[in-house]
Each structure stands twice: as C-alpha cells, then as structure tokens.
Amino acid sequence: MIHHTNLKKISKKTFAATAVLLAAAATSSCSPSNGTDTAGETERSAQESTDAASLENISPCDTLNQKQENKINTENTGTTREAAGSKSCRWTLSEGALSVAFHPNSTLDDINLSEGDTQPFSVNSKKGKISQGISGESCTVAIPVNNSETVTVDTLGEGKTTSCDLAKKVAPMVEQNISDS
C-alpha cells in the first residue's frame, strides 16, 4: 500500500523529498487470471487497454502545460524525480508547492490516504479520492488513470492558498492532460 503521510510544519524542500518518497513507495498489485477468457474477451480487453490513458508515454512534468503553470503561478517548470521505478515532478509556486506522482502498478485502492480526512472526489469523469492531512497543511488527490495505474497530486498551500483548494484546481488539469496524451 502507498501511505501518504501528514506533512506538518514542513518546508518546500522537505515537501519535495516527501513527495519523492511517496512516489517510490508504490507497490505492485496483480490480478490473478482464472484462465477462462475467450478469444473475443481477450481481444476486447486488449482494445480497451489500448484505448485507455496510460502513464507509460508521459512524464509527470508534462501533466501541466505552460499556460496551466502560469495560471497557478509556478516559479519553475517542474523538476523530475525518479525513485524505485516511480516518477514524480515538483513545482514551487508563489504560494506553496505541488508534486505530481505516478503510481504505474497501483490501483486507487492501493493508495492509502488514511492519515487525514479522506473523501470521494470526482475529477472530470474519474472517481478519485481527496485527503487533507491531519494538520490541514497538506492535501492529496488520487486519480485512477486506468485499472492498474494511479496518479497523485500532492499540494502544500501557503498564504491565501489552502492546500485542498490548490489540489482541487490542479487535479482536473493533470487528469485532462494525461487523458489527452
């Protein structure tokens, strides 16, 4: 399981390191086959997986375009990180920090957001989850990309920007850009 922890009184640098560790914590989940697929079901299944969005051909830093980065007042174009096979990208914002992490072998249920107040949260047409950290300083949105991949948007707001407001603003952008890729 992936554990997103409370980010209590942390700096932007610590937030970045924590986001990388969270991305690295992704674990594999496999669905056993019962061997009863017919040729038609296998073809349909292959076609559905081809049509579905995938994290394979996109970088986490490509989940926001320049116009979107400007809209949320990024101070940089994103810094890519990779740890234990999971990729993430971190942006510093004028009022906070943002990290997008790919979990290529984790379903939405594999992402553990239990340390804060977790609620269902729809992002465009995807049914995901949103979790505010115990201290209220961090917020995570988890979005299923397909049946075996999930993306998380971790935010830390500062000043007038709350973490969950930032996450709710950025998550639809990220989801749309992944779906369009």
Side-chain angles (χ1 to χ4, degrees), residues 10-97:
I10 61 174
S11 68
K12 291 178 183 180
K13 193 174 200 176
T14 303
F15 176 79
T18 302
V20 169
L21 290 174
L22 292 173
T27 57
S28 261
S29 65
C30 299
S31 299
S33 173
N34 62 12
T36 60
D37 281 350
T38 64
E41 289 171 343
T42 303
E43 279 181 35
R44 184 171 47 253
S45 198
Q47 180 62 38
E48 287 170 359
S49 67
T50 302
D51 292 343
S54 174
L55 298 176
E56 187 175 304
N57 299 318
I58 187 171
S59 162
C61 290
D62 292 337
T63 58
L64 293 176
N65 61 41
Q66 186 65 47
K67 184 177 178 181
Q68 292 164 331
E69 288 177 344
N70 291 340
K71 186 175 184 175
I72 60 171
N73 299 317
T74 61
E75 294 178 354
N76 62 0
T77 57
T79 305
T80 302
R81 298 219 165 60
E82 187 164 346
S86 292
K87 297 184 273 183
S88 67
C89 187
R90 181 187 183 276
W91 291 264
T92 302
L93 312 176
S94 60
E95 289 195 357

Side-chain angles (χ1 to χ4, degrees), residues 75-154:
E75 294 178 354
N76 62 0
T77 57
T79 305
T80 302
R81 298 219 165 60
E82 187 164 346
S86 292
K87 297 184 273 183
S88 67
C89 187
R90 181 187 183 276
W91 291 264
T92 302
L93 312 176
S94 60
E95 289 195 357
L98 160 69
S99 178
V100 173
F102 288 179
H103 306 280
N105 297 308
S106 299
T107 67
L108 183 63
D109 290 335
D110 292 334
I111 307 296
N112 184 349
L113 305 171
S114 63
E115 290 197 29
D117 178 29
T118 302
Q119 302 293 323
F121 182 71
S122 291
V123 179
N124 300 329
S125 63
K126 306 275 177 103
K127 296 194 184 309
K129 297 178 183 179
I130 188 168
S131 181
Q132 185 170 12
I134 293 171
S135 70
E137 292 185 22
S138 66
C139 192
T140 300
V141 173
I143 311 161
V145 175
N146 55 42
N147 291 333
S148 64
E149 299 177 311
T150 302
V151 63
T152 54
V153 176
D154 298 287

